[in-house]
Amino acid sequence: MQGLYIHVPFCVRKCNYCDFYSLAGEGRRKAAYVGAVLEEAAHFAGYVLQTMYIGGGTPSLLGARLLTRLVTGVKQQLELAGLIEATIEVNPDSATPSLLNTARELGFNRISIGVQSLINEELKAAGRIHTTDQARRAIRTAQEAGFTNISADLIAGLPEQTRESLAYSLQEIIETGISHVSFYCLAIEEGTPFANKIPDKLPTDDMQAEMFEQARVLLKKNGFNHYEISNFAKRGKECQHNLIYWRGGEYIGLGPAAASHLDGGRYRNKADLAGYIRDPSHQKEDIEILDITEKAAEEAILRLRLLEEGLNMENLETKFGSKNTGELQARLDRLSEDGMLEKKGKIYRLHHERILTANPVLAEVLG
């Protein structure tokens, strides 16, 4: 299965924690950006895709007219008739009825809303520009537009946040009836406002861990399966596009800073909107061709993120050949003996106590 990701690099204002490639105050370039994406898409004519995900940045800032131009143009270039899932990210402040109704008419059947918190003081501290009322309204507007597969992003560890305030946000989100929650612990990333000035009243790492466990218990109690390290879904509502990533599948990335994984190699476009608009066809960087043992190890760490599904080594041996997975198997067995992974037959899963400290374990798997 192959997926399509389109990166929309526009935002109203950078959030204090955000290290994604996005630019504030560049709205005048939106139409030129859409034209450049369509020019880049033409190079992938004939690819048959099963998922489409438009992320950012803030895709909802395109508005109904430019979103229509983007999606109809991409459909003319690529084979999207068999899409099983089409997702668009929106922020509450720009999730207008016009945009969401247009998205439904264009074939989007999944929406991801950047809620982050339902406490206004926490939103303000994080640099978010929407209010809790706008977040609730965005969810209702999406439901009224006909979306039945709605995801909300939430963050643990925001300044001023407590276990009680997180419980309130979670319960409010659950009661809206949405089917998916992406739940992240705040990370202070280099180059962000938070990194330049660490905020006061920031929950400690131990408090974040307690908050994450609190959220996990509450979400599972309310019918959400913890199917990936940072993602919870009602049964059948898992994000199919992201499952392509985690299962080692292929995907095309369009737009500045978008990554692609195709034909045994991977690359990303430069994080340069101006350069992308000038010449979208020559933006590739970080080009890598992985050998077969590296590809097997990388797929292993991705599949270990899938907490329920886990990593089935029989599948990797069939795909890559047992002679290319022997060293990987030895590392996995060693980690299971050390209690980092759980092993049942040929299936390995991340130990539940290592969910929040998975990176060192996955680094060991990678070798």
Side-chain angles (χ1 to χ4, degrees):
M1 191 159 72
Q2 290 182 321
L4 170 66
Y5 175 76
I6 303 174
H7 187 71
V8 180
F10 305 104
C11 61
V12 175
R13 185 178 71 193
K14 291 284 286 187
C15 297
N16 292 335
Y17 54 82
C18 178
D19 70 332
F20 292 133
Y21 179 64
S22 61
L23 302 166
E26 294 288 341
R28 68 189 185 281
R29 299 192 181 193
K30 289 187 289 188
Y33 154 83
V34 170
V37 170
L38 298 182
E39 184 179 334
E40 186 185 12
H43 294 277
F44 299 96
Y47 274 86
V48 179
L49 301 158
Q50 287 77 39
T51 67
M52 176 171 65
Y53 194 109
I54 300 186
T58 310
S60 44
L61 288 178
L62 289 176
R65 182 180 62 85
L66 283 177
L67 179 64
T68 299
R69 181 185 167 199
L70 174 65
V71 174
T72 55
V74 168
K75 285 180 177 179
Q76 290 169 1
Q77 306 281 8
L78 305 173
E79 181 52 65
L80 300 178
L83 285 182
I84 61 172
E85 180 187 270
T87 301
I88 183 169
E89 291 181 351
V90 302
N91 275 357
D93 52 285
S94 51
T96 63
S98 173
L99 179 92
L100 297 184
N101 285 317
T102 297
R104 284 292 294 144
E105 292 166 5
L106 290 169
F108 287 92
N109 56 10
R110 185 175 184 274
I111 189 165
S112 177
I113 303 175
V115 174
Q116 315 310 354
S117 170
L118 284 174
I119 302 292
N120 280 322
E121 291 77 12
E122 293 173 8
L123 291 173
K124 184 177 180 180
R128 301 292 289 179
I129 64 172
H130 71 269
T131 66
T132 58
D133 285 344
Q134 287 177 312
R136 292 185 179 93
R137 190 179 308 123
I139 294 171
R140 288 197 304 271
T141 302
Q143 291 168 331
E144 290 165 0
F147 285 95
T148 58
N149 194 353
I150 301 173
S151 179
D153 287 356
L154 290 173
I155 298 178
L158 292 171
E160 311 282 346
Q161 194 175 50
T162 65
R163 292 189 61 174
E164 290 73 24
S165 69
L166 175 61
Y168 173 82
S169 291
L170 283 165
Q171 192 60 50
E172 289 282 298
I173 284 293
I174 290 167
E175 290 178 6
T176 65
I178 67 169
S179 54
H180 190 283
V181 173
S182 293
F183 187 74
Y184 305 98
C185 287
L186 179 70
I188 305 297
E189 303 290 354
E190 185 178 348
T192 63
F194 274 172
N196 296 333
K197 185 179 185 301
I198 301 297
D200 296 329
K201 299 183 180 178
L202 197 66
T204 65
D205 289 347
D206 287 343
M207 289 175 65
Q208 276 197 25
E210 292 174 5
M211 289 174 172
F212 191 90
E213 178 62 14
Q214 169 190 1
R216 188 188 69 83
V217 170
L218 182 58
L219 288 166
K220 292 191 73 171
K221 180 181 177 182
N222 284 275
F224 289 82
N225 299 306
H226 192 184
Y227 75 102
E228 192 273 339
I229 288 176
S230 299
N231 288 276
F232 300 78
K234 298 288 182 70
R235 189 67 66 187
K237 299 296 186 179
E238 298 84 0
C239 180
Q240 297 302 307
H241 181 81
N242 286 341
L243 284 173
I244 291 176
Y245 297 154
W246 298 320
R247 289 170 177 163
E250 294 195 327
Y251 46 89
I252 295 168
L254 303 178
S260 298
H261 176 211
L262 285 172
D263 304 323
R266 64 186 180 194
Y267 63 88
R268 70 176 59 250
N269 288 336
K270 296 175 184 176
D272 176 9
L273 175 61
Y276 182 80
I277 289 173
R278 282 195 305 271
D279 185 6
S281 302
H282 296 89
Q283 296 296 309
K284 296 182 179 63
E285 64 179 5
D286 299 335
I287 301 170
E288 291 184 274
I289 303 297
L290 303 176
D291 68 33
I292 196 165
T293 57
E294 290 173 327
K295 285 182 66 66
E298 289 218 348
E299 184 165 330
I301 66 171
L302 290 168
R303 286 182 175 271
L304 283 169
R305 294 186 64 91
L306 297 171
L307 303 179
E308 295 180 328
E309 186 175 308
L311 163 64
N312 189 330
M313 274 303 295
E314 287 186 356
N315 294 338
L316 257 64
E317 289 168 357
T318 300
K319 185 173 181 178
F320 298 107
S322 56
K323 68 178 182 180
N324 297 308
T325 57
E327 292 183 10
L328 171 62
Q329 174 91 61
R331 294 196 296 271
L332 291 167
D333 286 339
R334 186 164 60 250
L335 287 166
S336 65
E337 290 167 4
D338 292 342
M340 307 295 180
L341 300 176
E342 297 174 344
K343 180 182 179 182
K344 186 175 182 181
K346 282 278 194 174
I347 298 176
Y348 296 82
R349 294 185 178 87
L350 192 65
H351 194 283
H352 72 277
E353 292 183 356
R354 297 310 302 261
I355 291 173
L356 288 183
T357 55
N359 285 345
V361 179
L362 299 180
E364 289 287 329
V365 174
L366 195 59

